[in-house]
Short mmCIF file of all heavy atoms in Angstrom, two decimals:
data_model
loop_
_atom_site.label_atom_id
_atom_site.label_comp_id
_atom_site.label_asym_id
_atom_site.label_seq_id
_atom_site.Cartn_x
_atom_site.Cartn_y
_atom_site.Cartn_z
N ALA A 1438 33.47 69.52 0.86
CA ALA A 1438 33.73 68.33 1.67
C ALA A 1438 32.42 67.71 2.16
O ALA A 1438 32.24 66.49 2.12
CB ALA A 1438 34.63 68.69 2.85
N VAL A 1439 31.52 68.57 2.60
CA VAL A 1439 30.23 68.09 3.12
C VAL A 1439 29.40 67.46 2.00
O VAL A 1439 28.80 66.39 2.18
CB VAL A 1439 29.46 69.25 3.79
CG1 VAL A 1439 28.02 68.83 4.11
CG2 VAL A 1439 30.19 69.70 5.05
N ARG A 1440 29.37 68.10 0.86
CA ARG A 1440 28.62 67.53 -0.27
C ARG A 1440 29.22 66.21 -0.71
O ARG A 1440 28.50 65.27 -1.08
CB ARG A 1440 28.57 68.53 -1.41
CG ARG A 1440 27.73 69.76 -1.10
CD ARG A 1440 27.71 70.75 -2.24
NE ARG A 1440 27.08 70.19 -3.44
CZ ARG A 1440 26.79 70.90 -4.52
NH1 ARG A 1440 27.10 72.19 -4.57
NH2 ARG A 1440 26.22 70.35 -5.56
N GLY A 1441 30.55 66.13 -0.68
CA GLY A 1441 31.20 64.87 -1.02
C GLY A 1441 30.83 63.77 -0.05
O GLY A 1441 30.61 62.61 -0.43
N LEU A 1442 30.76 64.12 1.24
CA LEU A 1442 30.37 63.15 2.26
C LEU A 1442 28.97 62.60 2.00
O LEU A 1442 28.76 61.38 2.02
CB LEU A 1442 30.43 63.82 3.64
CG LEU A 1442 29.76 63.04 4.79
CD1 LEU A 1442 30.53 61.76 5.10
CD2 LEU A 1442 29.65 63.93 6.04
N HIS A 1443 28.01 63.49 1.77
CA HIS A 1443 26.63 63.04 1.58
C HIS A 1443 26.47 62.27 0.27
O HIS A 1443 25.71 61.28 0.22
CB HIS A 1443 25.69 64.25 1.61
CG HIS A 1443 25.42 64.74 3.01
ND1 HIS A 1443 24.46 64.20 3.81
CD2 HIS A 1443 26.01 65.73 3.74
CE1 HIS A 1443 24.44 64.82 4.99
NE2 HIS A 1443 25.38 65.76 4.96
N ARG A 1444 27.17 62.68 -0.76
CA ARG A 1444 27.11 61.94 -2.03
C ARG A 1444 27.67 60.54 -1.85
O ARG A 1444 27.11 59.56 -2.36
CB ARG A 1444 27.89 62.72 -3.09
CG ARG A 1444 27.78 62.14 -4.49
CD ARG A 1444 28.27 63.14 -5.54
NE ARG A 1444 29.65 63.56 -5.27
CZ ARG A 1444 29.98 64.79 -4.92
NH1 ARG A 1444 29.04 65.72 -4.77
NH2 ARG A 1444 31.24 65.12 -4.72
N PHE A 1445 28.79 60.43 -1.13
CA PHE A 1445 29.39 59.12 -0.85
C PHE A 1445 28.44 58.26 -0.02
O PHE A 1445 28.30 57.05 -0.26
CB PHE A 1445 30.71 59.32 -0.10
CG PHE A 1445 31.23 58.09 0.57
CD1 PHE A 1445 31.88 57.11 -0.16
CD2 PHE A 1445 31.06 57.90 1.94
CE1 PHE A 1445 32.36 55.95 0.47
CE2 PHE A 1445 31.53 56.76 2.57
CZ PHE A 1445 32.18 55.77 1.83
N ALA A 1446 27.80 58.87 0.98
CA ALA A 1446 26.92 58.11 1.86
C ALA A 1446 25.75 57.50 1.10
O ALA A 1446 25.34 56.36 1.38
CB ALA A 1446 26.41 59.02 2.99
N VAL A 1447 25.22 58.24 0.13
CA VAL A 1447 24.14 57.70 -0.70
C VAL A 1447 24.66 56.56 -1.57
O VAL A 1447 24.05 55.48 -1.66
CB VAL A 1447 23.51 58.81 -1.57
CG1 VAL A 1447 22.54 58.22 -2.59
CG2 VAL A 1447 22.79 59.82 -0.69
N HIS A 1448 25.79 56.81 -2.22
CA HIS A 1448 26.37 55.81 -3.12
C HIS A 1448 26.72 54.52 -2.38
O HIS A 1448 26.60 53.41 -2.92
CB HIS A 1448 27.62 56.38 -3.79
CG HIS A 1448 28.25 55.44 -4.78
ND1 HIS A 1448 29.23 54.54 -4.43
CD2 HIS A 1448 28.02 55.24 -6.12
CE1 HIS A 1448 29.59 53.84 -5.50
NE2 HIS A 1448 28.88 54.26 -6.53
N ASP A 1449 27.15 54.66 -1.13
CA ASP A 1449 27.56 53.48 -0.35
C ASP A 1449 26.41 52.86 0.43
O ASP A 1449 26.63 51.92 1.19
CB ASP A 1449 28.68 53.88 0.64
CG ASP A 1449 29.85 52.91 0.59
OD1 ASP A 1449 30.21 52.48 -0.53
OD2 ASP A 1449 30.40 52.58 1.66
N GLY A 1450 25.22 53.38 0.26
CA GLY A 1450 24.05 52.80 0.91
C GLY A 1450 23.91 53.11 2.38
O GLY A 1450 23.17 52.45 3.09
N LEU A 1451 24.62 54.16 2.85
CA LEU A 1451 24.54 54.52 4.26
C LEU A 1451 23.28 55.33 4.56
O LEU A 1451 22.75 55.27 5.67
CB LEU A 1451 25.78 55.30 4.68
CG LEU A 1451 27.13 54.58 4.48
CD1 LEU A 1451 28.28 55.49 4.88
CD2 LEU A 1451 27.16 53.28 5.27
N VAL A 1452 22.84 56.13 3.58
CA VAL A 1452 21.61 56.91 3.71
C VAL A 1452 20.87 56.81 2.38
O VAL A 1452 21.43 56.40 1.36
CB VAL A 1452 21.90 58.40 4.05
CG1 VAL A 1452 22.59 58.54 5.39
CG2 VAL A 1452 22.73 59.04 2.95
N GLY A 1453 19.62 57.21 2.41
CA GLY A 1453 18.82 57.06 1.21
C GLY A 1453 18.69 58.31 0.36
O GLY A 1453 18.23 58.25 -0.78
N GLU A 1454 19.09 59.47 0.90
CA GLU A 1454 18.88 60.73 0.17
C GLU A 1454 20.08 61.65 0.33
O GLU A 1454 20.66 61.73 1.43
CB GLU A 1454 17.62 61.43 0.72
CG GLU A 1454 17.31 62.74 0.03
CD GLU A 1454 16.14 63.46 0.70
OE1 GLU A 1454 15.60 62.93 1.70
OE2 GLU A 1454 15.79 64.57 0.24
N ASP A 1455 20.44 62.30 -0.76
CA ASP A 1455 21.54 63.28 -0.73
C ASP A 1455 20.95 64.65 -0.39
O ASP A 1455 20.51 65.38 -1.29
CB ASP A 1455 22.27 63.31 -2.07
CG ASP A 1455 23.47 64.24 -2.06
OD1 ASP A 1455 23.70 64.92 -1.03
OD2 ASP A 1455 24.19 64.31 -3.07
N VAL A 1456 20.95 64.99 0.89
CA VAL A 1456 20.31 66.24 1.31
C VAL A 1456 21.19 67.46 1.06
O VAL A 1456 20.73 68.60 1.20
CB VAL A 1456 19.96 66.18 2.82
CG1 VAL A 1456 18.93 65.08 3.07
CG2 VAL A 1456 21.20 65.97 3.67
N ALA A 1457 22.44 67.26 0.70
CA ALA A 1457 23.36 68.39 0.46
C ALA A 1457 23.43 68.79 -1.00
O ALA A 1457 24.05 69.80 -1.33
CB ALA A 1457 24.75 68.05 0.98
N ARG A 1458 22.80 68.01 -1.86
CA ARG A 1458 22.94 68.24 -3.30
C ARG A 1458 22.48 69.62 -3.73
O ARG A 1458 23.08 70.25 -4.60
CB ARG A 1458 22.18 67.17 -4.08
CG ARG A 1458 22.34 67.27 -5.59
CD ARG A 1458 21.66 66.10 -6.27
NE ARG A 1458 20.24 66.02 -5.93
CZ ARG A 1458 19.42 65.07 -6.37
NH1 ARG A 1458 19.90 64.08 -7.12
NH2 ARG A 1458 18.15 65.07 -6.02
N GLY A 1459 21.41 70.12 -3.12
CA GLY A 1459 20.85 71.40 -3.54
C GLY A 1459 21.43 72.61 -2.84
O GLY A 1459 21.03 73.75 -3.12
N VAL A 1460 22.39 72.40 -1.93
CA VAL A 1460 22.99 73.52 -1.20
C VAL A 1460 24.14 74.08 -2.02
O VAL A 1460 25.05 73.34 -2.40
CB VAL A 1460 23.49 73.08 0.20
CG1 VAL A 1460 24.08 74.27 0.94
CG2 VAL A 1460 22.36 72.45 0.99
N THR A 1461 24.10 75.37 -2.28
CA THR A 1461 25.11 75.99 -3.13
C THR A 1461 26.15 76.72 -2.28
O THR A 1461 25.84 77.23 -1.20
CB THR A 1461 24.48 77.00 -4.11
OG1 THR A 1461 23.74 77.97 -3.36
CG2 THR A 1461 23.55 76.29 -5.07
N PRO A 1462 27.38 76.79 -2.76
CA PRO A 1462 28.43 77.48 -2.01
C PRO A 1462 28.22 78.98 -2.02
O PRO A 1462 27.53 79.50 -2.91
CB PRO A 1462 29.71 77.09 -2.76
CG PRO A 1462 29.25 76.80 -4.15
CD PRO A 1462 27.89 76.20 -4.01
N PRO A 1463 28.79 79.69 -1.08
CA PRO A 1463 28.67 81.16 -1.07
C PRO A 1463 29.36 81.75 -2.28
O PRO A 1463 30.36 81.22 -2.78
CB PRO A 1463 29.38 81.57 0.23
CG PRO A 1463 30.32 80.44 0.52
CD PRO A 1463 29.63 79.20 0.03
N ALA A 1464 28.81 82.84 -2.77
CA ALA A 1464 29.40 83.49 -3.95
C ALA A 1464 30.77 84.04 -3.61
O ALA A 1464 30.96 84.70 -2.57
CB ALA A 1464 28.49 84.61 -4.43
N LEU A 1465 31.73 83.74 -4.46
CA LEU A 1465 33.08 84.28 -4.25
C LEU A 1465 33.10 85.74 -4.66
O LEU A 1465 32.48 86.12 -5.65
CB LEU A 1465 34.09 83.49 -5.09
CG LEU A 1465 34.24 82.02 -4.71
CD1 LEU A 1465 35.22 81.34 -5.67
CD2 LEU A 1465 34.73 81.87 -3.28
N PRO A 1466 33.77 86.58 -3.90
CA PRO A 1466 33.82 88.00 -4.26
C PRO A 1466 34.53 88.21 -5.58
O PRO A 1466 35.53 87.54 -5.88
CB PRO A 1466 34.64 88.63 -3.11
CG PRO A 1466 35.44 87.49 -2.55
CD PRO A 1466 34.60 86.27 -2.72
N LYS A 1467 34.00 89.10 -6.39
CA LYS A 1467 34.63 89.39 -7.67
C LYS A 1467 35.90 90.21 -7.44
O LYS A 1467 35.88 91.20 -6.72
CB LYS A 1467 33.67 90.17 -8.57
CG LYS A 1467 32.45 89.37 -8.99
CD LYS A 1467 31.56 90.17 -9.92
CE LYS A 1467 30.37 89.34 -10.39
NZ LYS A 1467 29.48 90.13 -11.28
N ARG A 1468 36.95 89.74 -8.05
CA ARG A 1468 38.19 90.48 -7.92
C ARG A 1468 38.16 91.71 -8.82
O ARG A 1468 37.79 91.64 -9.98
CB ARG A 1468 39.38 89.59 -8.33
CG ARG A 1468 39.61 88.42 -7.38
CD ARG A 1468 40.86 87.66 -7.77
NE ARG A 1468 41.12 86.58 -6.83
CZ ARG A 1468 42.15 85.75 -6.93
NH1 ARG A 1468 43.01 85.88 -7.93
NH2 ARG A 1468 42.33 84.80 -6.04
N LEU A 1469 38.54 92.82 -8.22
CA LEU A 1469 38.54 94.05 -9.00
C LEU A 1469 39.67 94.01 -10.02
O LEU A 1469 40.79 93.62 -9.71
CB LEU A 1469 38.73 95.25 -8.07
CG LEU A 1469 37.63 95.48 -7.05
CD1 LEU A 1469 37.97 96.67 -6.17
CD2 LEU A 1469 36.30 95.70 -7.73
N PRO A 1470 39.36 94.37 -11.26
CA PRO A 1470 40.40 94.35 -12.28
C PRO A 1470 41.47 95.40 -12.02
O PRO A 1470 41.20 96.46 -11.47
CB PRO A 1470 39.62 94.68 -13.57
CG PRO A 1470 38.40 95.41 -13.10
CD PRO A 1470 38.06 94.81 -11.77
N LYS A 1471 42.69 95.08 -12.41
CA LYS A 1471 43.79 96.02 -12.27
C LYS A 1471 43.77 96.98 -13.44
O LYS A 1471 43.67 96.58 -14.59
CB LYS A 1471 45.12 95.26 -12.24
CG LYS A 1471 45.26 94.29 -11.08
CD LYS A 1471 45.52 95.00 -9.79
CE LYS A 1471 45.80 94.00 -8.67
NZ LYS A 1471 46.08 94.65 -7.38
N ALA A 1472 43.86 98.25 -13.16
CA ALA A 1472 43.89 99.26 -14.22
C ALA A 1472 45.12 100.13 -14.06
O ALA A 1472 45.48 100.52 -12.94
CB ALA A 1472 42.62 100.12 -14.18
N LEU A 1473 45.75 100.43 -15.16
CA LEU A 1473 46.89 101.34 -15.15
C LEU A 1473 46.39 102.77 -15.10
O LEU A 1473 45.27 103.07 -15.51
CB LEU A 1473 47.74 101.14 -16.41
CG LEU A 1473 48.25 99.73 -16.71
CD1 LEU A 1473 48.98 99.71 -18.05
CD2 LEU A 1473 49.16 99.25 -15.60
N SER A 1474 47.23 103.67 -14.63
CA SER A 1474 46.91 105.09 -14.70
C SER A 1474 47.02 105.54 -16.16
O SER A 1474 47.58 104.83 -17.01
CB SER A 1474 47.87 105.90 -13.83
OG SER A 1474 49.18 105.85 -14.39
N ILE A 1475 46.50 106.73 -16.45
CA ILE A 1475 46.59 107.25 -17.81
C ILE A 1475 48.05 107.42 -18.22
O ILE A 1475 48.43 107.10 -19.36
CB ILE A 1475 45.82 108.58 -17.93
CG1 ILE A 1475 44.32 108.33 -17.70
CG2 ILE A 1475 46.05 109.23 -19.29
CD1 ILE A 1475 43.47 109.59 -17.69
N ASP A 1476 48.87 107.90 -17.30
CA ASP A 1476 50.30 108.05 -17.61
C ASP A 1476 50.95 106.71 -17.90
O ASP A 1476 51.80 106.60 -18.80
CB ASP A 1476 51.02 108.73 -16.44
CG ASP A 1476 50.69 110.22 -16.33
OD1 ASP A 1476 50.18 110.78 -17.33
OD2 ASP A 1476 50.92 110.81 -15.25
#
């Protein structure tokens, strides 16, 4: 949402620089794969 705001602000001429462009989202935790028992 924040990156969308800053991108829009640049496109609409409200600000001159997209300062959020280089900020990356937090890494999502890897979901552990489901494994069946040997039986």
Side-chain angles (χ1 to χ4, degrees):
V1439 170
R1440 291 179 64 172
L1442 167 67
H1443 282 276
R1444 187 166 57 247
F1445 164 79
V1447 171
H1448 183 269
D1449 228 40
L1451 302 178
V1452 297
E1454 180 186 0
D1455 184 356
V1456 296
R1458 183 174 58 182
V1460 181
T1461 56
L1465 296 177
K1467 294 182 177 179
R1468 293 185 178 181
L1469 297 178
K1471 299 285 186 179
L1473 305 176
S1474 67
I1475 295 175
D1476 287 343

